[in-house]
Amino acid sequence: MLTDREIRALKPKDKPYKVRDGAGLVLQVMPSGSRLWHYRYEIAGREKKLSIGQYPEISLVEARRAREAARELLRAGKDPSVEKRVQKLAARVALGTTFEVIARAWHEEQRQRWTATHAADVLGSFVTSVFPALGRLPLSEITPPMVLVVLRDVERRGAIETAHRIRQRMSAVFQHAVAHGWAASDPAVSVQRLLKPVVRGRQPAITDIDRLRQMLRDADKMPAQPVTKLALRFLALTVVRPGQELLGARLPEIEDLDGPAPVWRVPASRMKVKTGDHVVPLAPQAVDVVRALIRFIGPSGILFPSARTTRRAISNNAIGYLLNRAGYHGQHVPHGWRAAFSSVMNERHRLDRAVIDLMLAHVPKDKVEAAYNRARHLERRRELAEEWAGLLLDGLPGAAEVVEGPRR
């Protein structure tokens, strides 16, 4: 058996030569002076060689341990060289199974079934809240406490519901990895009950038509960007959802603007409920808003462009901030226009509940409503839209005057 002193005393020769430690462990001395450990063994009648490493990086003791580990594999009927290649492959795969790599792969698979807005929201939540802390870690190293730390940071921002959504998305990524053999478990599933509960309540909405009218009047008097004031008025008249349904609007979606039956066709891709395009009949007051907006619209066609660039719409919060500054914080939110319209118009037209639901693009509750012919009831919807506009803007200035009001 070799000793360290004997190994250090070995001198290089013109050709490689070997010295044996025993039980198949061999040290090969190269003409360059380097010394390489090998384990020689026989499997299925064939002699094979397993490279262990270079001395002194791999010491004599470590080389003997590697030899014994290889002999254990042989006794178990396994080929040490094959097992080494498998381990190397597993290590390379592990380098590619960081949370960010797998999360992006999962997102790429899923986004085909999502709207562009939702896909961007999902990826954005990872980029903002998860990747900075966990993105570079292999999935196998991520534990439930680490997941909880990330989610607690989101909770501290006051975004309780967002924390729950991010946990669900993280869990989906881990389940995706488990199914592909890249992870053994889902550490996000065990922290679900530890998050703060989401307290849901009705979004504040004024439902008295006189107070709604006064709110618009107060908002018109506030120093604000004209586009924000016009967006508030258009939202109030069309009662669409205030996110991408409204702020994703583009001028080409407005059809027959100068004709007798103007409509706004909201693409299905921006709708919460994917039942086709949502056709919104435009009352004359809504048409006036569009005409007042044209001077602000750039080449992109975005209907409610930001004051900084016409290539981007105003922010999701702009309308809400305007209402807050006008004194309606906690009383009415942008989404509240839908409740206001439903309350006022259902009270006035009890037999038109299904038509009013169509105007709000609500989810059909049964097959009868699902089969409701939207085109056939377009004229009735137009009548209700014009009635609503008349009630809401009675005595208020036109859209052109709103543009000339006080600015920020």
Side-chain angles (χ1 to χ4, degrees), residues 296-357:
F296 302 100
I297 297 173
S300 67
I302 292 174
L303 200 59
F304 303 104
S306 164
R308 295 182 178 179
T309 172
T310 60
R311 295 190 300 273
R312 188 168 61 246
I314 60 175
S315 78
N316 286 335
N317 297 322
I319 298 174
Y321 290 156
L322 173 58
L323 290 174
N324 291 346
R325 293 198 306 275
Y328 293 89
H329 178 72
Q331 300 180 53
H332 194 90
V333 295
H335 200 277
W337 287 108
R338 294 169 61 77
F341 173 79
S342 178
S343 178
V344 171
M345 299 307 285
N346 272 305
E347 180 65 28
R348 295 172 68 90
H349 302 282
R350 297 180 184 276
L351 298 180
D352 282 318
R353 181 185 64 83
V355 178
I356 291 169
D357 277 353

Side-chain angles (χ1 to χ4, degrees), residues 269-315:
S269 60
R270 289 212 313 275
M271 297 299 298
K272 178 181 178 180
V273 183
K274 302 298 183 292
T275 54
D277 295 350
H278 180 46
V279 179
V280 182
L282 296 179
Q285 295 90 331
V287 171
D288 286 344
V289 172
V290 176
R291 289 186 176 132
L293 284 164
I294 287 175
R295 62 188 283 191
F296 302 100
I297 297 173
S300 67
I302 292 174
L303 200 59
F304 303 104
S306 164
R308 295 182 178 179
T309 172
T310 60
R311 295 190 300 273
R312 188 168 61 246
I314 60 175
S315 78

Side-chain angles (χ1 to χ4, degrees), residues 48-109:
K48 301 190 72 173
K49 179 177 71 175
L50 174 69
S51 296
I52 295 175
Q54 183 170 311
Y55 182 90
E57 285 80 4
I58 302 296
S59 68
L60 175 59
V61 172
E62 291 170 327
R64 286 170 177 167
R65 288 176 183 162
R67 175 191 61 196
E68 292 309 310
R71 295 179 72 186
E72 285 293 324
L73 289 172
L74 282 171
R75 283 191 285 271
K78 298 179 180 179
D79 187 332
S81 295
V82 172
E83 292 300 312
K84 182 179 180 180
R85 287 197 298 272
V86 169
Q87 290 173 9
K88 282 186 175 181
L89 178 60
R92 287 199 298 271
V93 170
L95 289 175
T97 55
T98 63
F99 184 85
E100 181 170 353
V101 168
I102 300 306
R104 288 183 181 276
W106 168 80
H107 179 269
E108 185 64 25
E109 278 191 15

